[in-house]
Amino acid sequence: MQSKIFNKANFKLWSKLGMRATFGVAAMELGNKVDKLMILTGDVSTSAGLDRFKKKFPDKYLDVGIAEQNLIGIGAGLASEGFNVISTTFAPFQTMRCCEQIKVNLGYMKQKISMVGLASGLALGTLGYTHCCIEDVGILRPIPNLTIISPADSGEAVKAVFASLKHKNSVYIRLTGDANIDQIYDDDYEFEIGKSITLKKGKDISIFAAGTMNKVALDCSKILSQNNIDAEVINMHTIKPIDFEKIKDSAKNSKLIISIEEHNIIGGLGSAVAESLAKINNSPEQMFFGIKDTYSEGGEYSFLKEKFNLIPNKISEKIILKLKEL
């Protein structure tokens, strides 16, 4: 979907708002342009930035309450009648609470919904792991006929929502980060589902990142360059279907493959990259950075990222040590 809203001023503004509030901006644009649109929520209009949308487009908005299984069931019914359906609630409720409905109605029956998971990863750390979501990609990735996107910044979140409505399959859009999110793109660019974007070229190692970890990866590359390590950084915004050709190309030219994600290291981006590397002869070793398959105590977003070493200096230190071993 072409739109004049993709410009430098908006990209900068949206980064301050964060992905959740920016989703509401995308909804307003869609409300003006898409006639047969329905946005469904599970009692999260304010959290999803949809308060303006529901007032301006009451016929395109439905709140099903705290009943996420119904969220998918009703959405599938509307989709079967030709509506462009977007559903949204917090990531653990959008995915885990209604996993069977996603499997049956969207995967098996192939009804088409764009699902937006709010505040995935560690952003809601103060509420603990009932609200943090480090499992969503691993839970949904095995379901056929389902695409998974983890946008790098707020602008890419808008592009992902727009692209999802044109996509053939149901899509899960995983929104990470809080307000004042790091800005990756400062001007318009081409976004294509299933096609990764190289943020920085490099000849020594390749870093694949998803979501807000793209900024971490770029910062890592700067630290590594000071140690004479030239790192390629790839925004793997689409985790399913993974961009196999890019992974294959990087595997041919890199000494080491790195995956960085705000997710359990089991089942997410790292696992998807590893599955691709397993198909490539003589592929390099892979290092996984993410949540180490555990539920820790809760805490502020920044505290949890540091606890799990999802910060540039910690990641860079480990990469440098690993390269010395190779």
Side-chain angles (χ1 to χ4, degrees):
M1 179 181 295
Q2 297 296 319
S3 178
K4 294 180 180 179
I5 66 172
F6 295 113
N7 56 60
K8 290 184 177 181
N10 280 341
F11 278 139
K12 185 175 182 179
L13 172 62
W14 296 344
S15 70
K16 295 179 181 179
L17 295 176
M19 291 196 198
R20 275 198 278 163
T22 302
F23 168 63
V25 174
M28 291 295 291
E29 185 77 359
L30 291 171
N32 286 316
K33 292 189 172 184
V34 180
D35 290 332
K36 211 165 184 184
L37 173 72
M38 284 297 298
I39 297 183
L40 279 61
T41 73
D43 194 30
V44 295
S45 65
T46 300
S47 297
L50 292 171
D51 284 344
R52 286 193 306 146
F53 180 88
K54 71 178 184 180
K55 290 177 182 177
K56 185 173 181 180
F57 304 105
D59 293 338
K60 296 181 177 182
Y61 177 84
L62 179 63
D63 189 335
V64 306
I66 305 175
E68 289 81 5
Q69 293 164 332
N70 283 339
L71 183 72
I72 298 300
I74 293 169
L78 287 167
S80 72
E81 294 299 316
F83 283 89
N84 294 290
V85 180
I86 300 174
S87 67
T88 188
T89 183
F90 288 101
F93 315 135
Q94 175 69 88
T95 57
M96 288 181 279
R97 188 167 291 174
C98 48
C99 184
E100 184 182 2
Q101 284 70 29
I102 293 172
K103 170 194 169 182
V104 174
N105 291 309
L106 310 190
Y108 188 28
M109 297 176 66
K110 299 182 182 179
Q111 298 301 338
K112 165 72 186 301
I113 296 180
S114 296
M115 300 175 287
V116 178
L118 305 176
S120 190
L122 301 169
L124 295 180
T126 53
L127 299 177
Y129 286 88
T130 55
H131 286 66
C132 282
C133 197
I134 62 169
E135 319 87 351
D136 47 352
V137 176
I139 285 169
L140 296 185
R141 202 161 62 87
I143 298 177
N145 305 311
L146 193 66
T147 291
I148 301 173
I149 302 174
S150 184
D153 64 8
S154 297
E156 192 159 82
V158 178
K159 283 184 173 286
V161 172
F162 284 12
S164 72
L165 292 184
K166 292 184 174 182
H167 193 56
K168 62 179 181 178
N169 292 332
S170 286
V171 179
Y172 173 57
I173 302 172
R174 183 180 201 251
L175 303 187
T176 52
D178 210 337
N180 292 310
I181 196 170
D182 290 308
Q183 186 177 347
I184 301 299
Y185 300 100
D186 60 8
D187 207 346
D188 201 6
Y189 65 100
E190 184 178 353
F191 175 89
E192 181 182 346
I193 292 176
K195 185 71 173 177
S196 64
I197 299 173
T198 299
L199 301 177
K200 177 186 174 296
K201 294 182 179 180
K203 59 179 172 43
D204 294 326
I205 68 172
S206 296
I207 304 175
F208 292 91
T212 53
M213 291 298 103
N214 277 283
K215 181 60 165 61
V216 173
L218 287 169
D219 289 344
C220 280
S221 72
K222 294 176 183 177
I223 297 172
L224 292 170
S225 68
Q226 296 169 4
N227 291 270
N228 298 314
I229 300 169
D230 191 12
E232 176 187 37
V233 178
I234 303 101
N235 171 18
M236 192 62 79
H237 53 70
T238 305
I239 300 174
K240 182 186 180 185
I242 199 83
D243 188 350
F244 176 75
E245 291 303 318
K246 178 56 188 173
I247 295 171
K248 185 178 179 181
D249 179 65
S250 295
K252 290 179 181 178
N253 303 302
S254 298
K255 302 171 187 174
L256 185 65
I257 300 293
I258 314 295
S259 57
I260 309 177
E261 59 190 315
E262 204 173 318
H263 186 278
N264 193 328
I265 58 171
I266 297 173
L269 171 67
S271 293
V273 171
E275 289 162 13
S276 295
L277 291 175
K279 302 173 185 176
I280 302 168
N281 291 332
N282 302 314
S283 62
E285 192 171 341
Q286 180 180 348
M287 292 184 75
F288 298 75
F289 291 94
I291 315 306
K292 304 295 184 182
D293 193 31
T294 187
Y295 293 126
S296 69
E297 71 274 20
E300 295 287 344
Y301 188 35
S302 58
F303 166 80
L304 289 176
K305 285 190 290 184
E306 185 164 358
K307 178 179 179 62
F308 290 113
N309 295 320
L310 291 175
I311 53 177
N313 62 322
K314 294 290 186 180
I315 293 173
S316 300
E317 286 174 9
K318 292 180 182 293
I319 292 173
I320 292 168
L321 288 173
K322 185 65 179 179
L323 285 171
K324 290 179 179 179
E325 296 174 2
L326 297 178

